[in-house]
Amino acid sequence: MNRIRKWFRYDNVGLLFVLPAFLYMILFVGYPIVRNVILSFQDVNAGNLVRGTKNFILFENYLELFKDNVFRTSLGNTLRYTVLCLVFQFLIGFALALFFNQRFALAKPVRGILLVPWMIPITVTALMFKLLFATDIGVINYLLRSLHLIDKNIEWLTTPGTAMFALICANVWIGIPFNMILISTGLTTIPKELYESASIDGANKLQAFLNITLPLLKPTIESVLVLGFIYTFKVYDLVYVMTSGGPVNSTHMLSTYSYKLSFEMFKYSKGSAVANVLLVILLVVGMFYIKITTKGEED
């Protein structure tokens, strides 16, 4: 009885508030992850799943993966897609943040309107871009034909190179507002007095940007890039709706290939192994993010 009373003391109130969230994470996040890791060390497919035979084969699924051409292609696609999306959405978002940081009429309403792409569900955005890049009824081909830049329609989503380009365009459109709003928030934390002092000392705008804005925005930039990497690297719904990993596996990401192995080819263990590779990469990036944020707080 005394032990129970100790838990309800004032000092433990915080733990009691955290307990429901902790139990939720254990049940709906922790258990699936542990179960998925165990599944990746077994040989489970549509045939032996019914019989209930789950033989442990340890790292054989992972060894097969790195011999799998589609897996290597998916890993390369995911890395290339993530890096290109990060570069373009960060640069454009940074430029827009600097632009809207200036005081002019309608700056706040227009900046609010630019947040709409980020708030729209990704499946809706994917369907919209799928129609924009459609071969016969797509707006992109119509505009290009109207400007006499092309003679015949481009098959954007059924050609390997252009399909990846369409996916990158869609994700950049989604990610620009996210980058813009976080960088805008970082810009508001820079004291205006620093720019005034630099101006008095004879510094021009470029010098002020390189010596004041960029150094003081370093923690914000690091957070934006790491969070952007995490959100982009685990992409699934955008790719699945627009291309489903095609054509000829040219737009398969780790997430879509894991889905294909598990729910289309019924190779559950191999699909779990792909998901675990994705998890490990994101875990490493997440640990790096925690490290830089805690370092920033200490500084």
Side-chain angles (χ1 to χ4, degrees):
M1 193 67 180
N2 290 331
R3 291 182 178 179
I4 295 175
R5 286 178 180 176
K6 285 182 179 180
W7 274 103
F8 289 91
R9 289 188 312 177
Y10 179 78
D11 296 341
N12 294 326
V13 170
L15 294 175
L16 292 174
F17 278 115
V18 171
L19 184 60
F22 176 75
L23 293 176
Y24 175 86
M25 293 294 291
I26 290 294
L27 184 61
F28 293 102
V29 179
Y31 172 74
I33 291 175
V34 173
R35 187 68 188 87
N36 196 67
V37 171
I38 294 173
L39 184 62
S40 68
F41 292 124
Q42 297 174 328
D43 180 21
V44 181
N45 52 48
N48 58 26
L49 181 66
V50 178
R51 296 192 300 269
T53 56
K54 301 178 181 179
N55 299 322
F56 277 91
I57 55 175
L58 297 179
F59 296 99
E60 189 172 327
N61 287 316
Y62 294 95
L63 294 175
E64 287 183 8
L65 274 185
F66 289 99
K67 297 177 183 177
D68 186 350
N69 291 329
V70 180
F71 171 77
R72 293 199 297 267
T73 300
S74 301
L75 181 59
N77 287 341
T78 308
L79 291 170
R80 183 169 67 253
Y81 169 84
T82 302
V83 171
L84 290 175
C85 286
L86 278 182
V87 169
F88 287 107
Q89 66 190 23
F90 174 76
L91 292 177
I92 298 172
F94 200 122
L96 289 175
L98 292 173
F99 176 72
F100 287 110
N101 193 47
Q102 309 299 318
R103 295 181 179 179
F104 61 92
L106 300 178
K108 291 182 179 179
V110 174
R111 185 169 58 183
I113 293 172
L114 289 177
L115 287 175
V116 172
W118 186 58
M119 294 186 291
I120 296 175
I122 294 181
T123 51
V124 176
T125 301
L127 288 171
M128 182 176 68
F129 272 85
K130 189 173 183 178
L131 290 174
L132 285 173
F133 283 101
T135 303
D136 296 323
I137 61 173
V139 176
I140 304 296
N141 279 334
Y142 173 77
L143 292 175
L144 292 175
R145 287 199 317 272
S146 300
L147 295 172
H148 303 289
L149 296 176
I150 58 173
D151 296 325
K152 61 179 182 178
N153 290 333
I154 300 174
E155 297 181 355
W156 294 100
L157 300 177
T158 55
T159 305
T162 55
M164 181 62 76
F165 172 77
L167 290 175
I168 292 171
C169 288
N171 193 73
V172 168
W173 190 76
I174 296 170
I176 287 173
F178 175 78
N179 285 259
M180 180 189 71
I181 197 65
L182 289 185
I183 295 171
S184 295
T185 304
L187 288 171
T188 59
T189 63
I190 301 177
K192 301 296 182 183
E193 292 80 5
L194 293 177
Y195 294 104
E196 294 173 0
S197 300
S199 178
I200 293 171
D201 292 337
N204 56 36
K205 291 185 176 180
L206 179 60
Q207 291 172 328
F209 175 76
L210 294 176
N211 295 292
I212 298 175
T213 306
L214 281 183
L216 294 180
L217 273 182
K218 183 181 177 181
T220 302
I221 292 172
E222 289 175 345
S223 299
V224 168
L225 291 177
V226 174
L227 288 174
F229 183 93
I230 293 171
Y231 293 148
T232 308
F233 198 83
K234 65 181 181 63
V235 65
Y236 168 75
D237 35 14
L238 183 71
V239 177
Y240 186 79
V241 173
M242 287 186 66
T243 64
S244 297
V248 200
N249 300 318
S250 62
T251 59
H252 256 314
M253 308 295 170
L254 290 177
S255 56
T256 56
Y257 188 49
S258 175
Y259 177 88
K260 180 179 179 180
L261 287 171
S262 299
F263 301 107
E264 293 181 10
M265 301 174 67
F266 305 110
K267 297 179 179 180
Y268 303 111
S269 294
K270 197 172 179 180
S272 296
V274 176
N276 288 331
V277 172
L278 176 62
L279 174 65
V280 168
I281 294 173
L282 292 180
L283 187 62
V284 172
V285 176
M287 292 174 65
F288 174 73
Y289 173 69
I290 293 172
K291 182 179 179 180
I292 62 174
T293 52
T294 52
K295 181 181 178 182
E297 291 175 358
E298 291 173 359
D299 294 340

